[in-house]
Amino acid sequence: LLATFDGPARALHCAAAIRRTATRDGLGIRAGVHVGEVELVGTDVRGIAVHEAARIMSAAGVDEILVSDLTRALAGASGLAFEDRGMHAFKGLAGEWRLAAFVAEPERIPA
């Protein structure tokens, strides 16, 4: 599944909700969240950011949500918690990428 969002915190909240639902139903998921420019062609999403997100997802373990360092930096102000997963090299992408696992959402106070 590839989905686009208007901000990294929204993407992470969605990935966490999918993980909760999948876990409850006895399923495992892997997710990768990355921030970048994409090209919309009809109903298709293209561009290097799509490939980067796919590589990040491929590095995730079962029930893990991995994010790029840029995503972590942008979403950090939202009170989200991350654990460093070190540097990774990806086929077809230059350099090494620092990844982090999204581990927690801030506590929500019931309305």
Side-chain angles (χ1 to χ4, degrees):
L1 169 69
L2 171 67
T4 60
F5 295 86
D6 62 358
R10 287 180 193 233
L12 288 164
H13 288 301
C14 181
I18 291 169
R19 177 171 60 186
R20 283 191 302 275
T21 300
T23 299
R24 184 191 68 219
D25 293 341
L27 301 171
I29 64 120
R30 294 183 300 148
V33 178
H34 180 54
V35 175
E37 292 292 323
V38 296
E39 178 185 0
L40 298 175
V41 179
T43 59
D44 197 14
V45 181
R46 298 181 185 169
I48 189 69
V50 173
H51 298 289
E52 292 165 345
R55 299 298 192 282
I56 293 165
M57 184 211 57
S58 72
V62 175
D63 294 327
E64 189 170 49
I65 302 167
L66 287 185
V67 303
S68 62
D69 203 36
L70 177 59
T71 302
R72 178 183 185 173
L74 292 173
S78 298
L80 306 178
F82 301 90
E83 290 179 359
D84 185 61
R85 290 295 189 258
M87 301 300 286
H88 296 261
F90 295 122
K91 181 180 177 180
L93 299 179
E96 288 192 312
W97 291 65
R98 178 168 297 284
L99 300 182
F102 174 53
V103 294
E105 298 176 89
E107 291 292 322
R108 294 189 180 173
I109 300 170

